[in-house]
Amino acid sequence: MPSQNITSASLIERWVRPEIRVIKPYYVPDSDDLIKLDAMENPYAWPESLVEEWLEVLRNVSFNRYPDPAAYKLKQRLCKSFAIPDTMDVLLGNGSDELIQMIMLLVSAPERVVLAPEPTFSMYRMIAIATGMKYVGVPLQNDFNLDADAMLEAIAIYQPAVVFLSYPNNPSGNLFDVDVVCKLIEAAPGLVVVDEAYYAFAGASFVARLKDHQNLLVLRTLSKMGLAGLRLGLLTGNPLWLSEVNKIRLPYNINVLVQVSADFALGHQKIFDQQTSQICHDRDAMLAELRGLKGITVYPSSANFILFRVPTGRATEIFESIKTHNVLIKNLHNAGGMLSDCLRVTIGKPDENQAFMRALKAAMI
Ligand SMILES: Cc1ncc(COP(=O)(O)O)c(C=O)c1O
């Protein structure tokens, strides 16, 4: 037993790796009573009749039993909904975050490298460090496109165990050039994971290319299409790779409520498709309106959010001003580098988008 004069702080210093001690946990701000346009969620609820139907389904769930460990029925449904080729396998995670963690745990070893373009989804870096790997970020070009030469050079130097490519990229919203991505997949000595979290809004996918590349895996999530609260992600690719990743998966990681609810929801795909096309329509309208605002640089988006740059040194002030109008967006300024002076807004319902535009215009004066 540690003696009384040994403090938690000193124990933590002794036992928790320094690179973990310095990590800042994933930050989710309070959003009480605010119009929430910060987290790439779908703003639409289900129609009341559908909620009633879903509650009926839940009545029959056996809470006293463990869930199907393979989530067989749900996987079948997902393969159909996402048009996964018969020759590929799928693995489910508690959000795609969990699948990213499983992939890294699978290939983790001291000195091994996880590589991604920067800026990108912050969890690639966090999970790489947490799983004991080195993280190498390769700057994107000023327009947030891949720097093919820099990526190829970094792949040659660092021989990464895994490369992550967010497609479209979070937080920039753009789709990377397909030919460049293919070159990177061919040059990579290890896995390349194309993370299609925003597939519903982009339509573009690498799933059809899985058969051409032995080292390619594709990630999807149900979060952005309207089921963020359920926490369900999907990894697809070569069955040999997936059976290795499956060894890392904790048993029963997809609980009974998620299994039946996601299966039920995907049986009503039409509603999600309607919501998605409304969001894409509203995104294009907001892109056009933002482009007309003096002092703002808007980046193209194939996702359900828009990245924009405000006049130098004003991002935090504009973000706070927008918040005083009850609208919460994401301030990326503190991430620094290419994201200095950048803010990101998620597409909400039309009245929420209007509230944001009014708040932004007022803040820009
Ligand atoms: C590129 C990308 N991948 C994965 C995720 C995580 O999604 P999930 O909710 O499935 O864990 C996000 C969330 O914002 C994301 O932007």
Side-chain angles (χ1 to χ4, degrees):
M1 275 284 284
S3 71
Q4 286 300 322
N5 61 0
I6 294 180
T7 61
S8 296
S10 66
L11 286 169
I12 287 167
E13 196 167 333
R14 178 172 173 196
W15 291 109
V16 179
R17 284 184 280 128
E19 62 272 26
I20 292 191
R21 277 188 264 133
V22 298
I23 292 179
K24 291 200 188 88
Y26 192 83
Y27 172 68
V28 180
D30 266 353
S31 55
D32 292 349
D33 301 329
L34 296 176
I35 297 175
K36 202 170 174 319
L37 302 180
D38 66 325
M40 292 84 119
E41 293 147 328
N42 172 335
Y44 297 103
W46 291 357
E48 199 51 44
S49 58
L50 198 63
V51 173
E52 289 303 322
E53 222 183 295
W54 169 57
L55 291 175
E56 275 310 307
V57 173
L58 291 186
R59 267 181 212 288
N60 299 317
V61 172
S62 305
F63 292 102
N64 54 321
R65 303 286 179 201
Y66 282 111
D68 170 7
Y72 181 76
K73 190 167 172 228
L74 176 56
K75 272 192 194 169
Q76 298 290 99
R77 173 81 81 180
L78 282 160
C79 285
K80 208 166 148 220
S81 291
F82 287 173
I84 305 294
D86 291 345
T87 47
M88 298 299 149
D89 218 343
V90 296
L91 196 66
L92 306 186
N94 181 1
S96 45
D97 283 345
E98 193 191 29
L99 291 161
I100 296 168
Q101 188 183 47
M102 286 186 221
I103 294 165
M104 295 214 204
L105 284 171
L106 178 70
V107 295
S108 165
E111 304 306 317
R112 285 202 182 161
V113 166
V114 173
L115 191 137
E118 283 275 340
T120 191
F121 183 42
S122 60
M123 291 307 291
Y124 305 147
R125 174 193 286 274
M126 295 242 307
I127 299 175
I129 292 167
T131 54
M133 301 223 269
K134 286 199 179 328
Y135 178 84
V136 172
V138 180
L140 290 166
Q141 302 188 94
N142 285 341
D143 57 2
F144 295 103
N145 280 312
L146 284 170
D147 183 335
D149 291 341
M151 287 293 288
L152 287 168
E153 196 185 331
I155 287 171
I157 294 171
Y158 296 103
Q159 296 287 299
V162 51
V163 176
F164 278 88
L165 298 170
S166 170
Y167 182 83
N169 188 42
N170 171 15
S172 49
N174 56 317
L175 285 167
F176 296 137
D177 185 285
V178 174
D179 293 339
V180 173
V181 174
C182 288
K183 270 191 199 148
L184 301 183
I185 297 169
E186 273 153 31
L191 281 173
V192 175
V193 179
V194 175
D195 180 348
E196 299 181 353
Y198 301 93
Y199 168 76
F201 313 99
S205 174
F206 276 76
V207 165
R209 294 175 193 268
L210 283 168
K211 63 177 183 339
D212 305 329
H213 305 281
Q214 295 293 308
N215 60 339
L216 174 64
L217 297 177
V218 173
L219 268 176
R220 295 270 182 91
T221 177
L222 269 60
S223 296
K224 313 300 173 184
M225 60 173 261
L227 299 171
L230 279 190
R231 309 300 297 127
L232 186 66
L234 173 148
L235 179 69
T236 183
N238 186 306
L240 286 177
W241 267 117
L242 265 67
S243 72
E244 293 302 310
V245 183
N246 191 37
K247 296 174 189 171
I248 306 295
R249 186 177 65 87
L250 295 177
Y252 313 119
N253 65 326
I254 309 300
N255 73 53
V256 278
L257 290 181
V258 174
Q259 291 197 25
V260 297
S261 303
D263 183 46
F264 172 81
L266 291 167
H268 296 82
Q269 182 84 33
K270 233 183 176 173
I271 290 174
F272 295 101
D273 292 346
Q274 278 161 3
Q275 293 175 347
T276 300
S277 61
Q278 174 77 44
I279 290 167
C280 289
H281 171 270
D282 295 341
R283 170 196 67 201
D284 294 344
M286 193 191 281
L287 276 169
E289 202 174 348
L290 283 170
R291 282 192 187 114
L293 284 190
K294 214 169 149 241
I296 291 208
T297 307
V298 192
Y299 296 96
S301 172
S302 300
N304 63 339
F305 57 86
I306 296 173
L307 182 77
F308 60 99
R309 194 179 294 279
V310 297
T312 309
R314 292 197 58 198
T316 299
E317 164 217 327
I318 290 172
F319 167 80
E320 292 296 343
S321 168
I322 291 171
K323 207 165 150 189
T324 63
H325 289 79
N326 279 341
V327 181
L328 181 66
I329 61 168
K330 179 91 173 172
N331 182 2
L332 294 163
H333 175 69
N334 291 336
M338 291 169 65
L339 292 177
S340 298
D341 306 311
C342 282
L343 302 173
R344 187 190 67 199
V345 60
T346 301
I347 308 303
K349 294 178 186 167
D351 58 327
E352 296 175 328
N353 300 336
Q354 280 158 19
F356 159 70
M357 285 305 304
R358 275 196 303 275
L360 174 64
K361 284 177 191 163
M364 289 289 291
I365 291 168

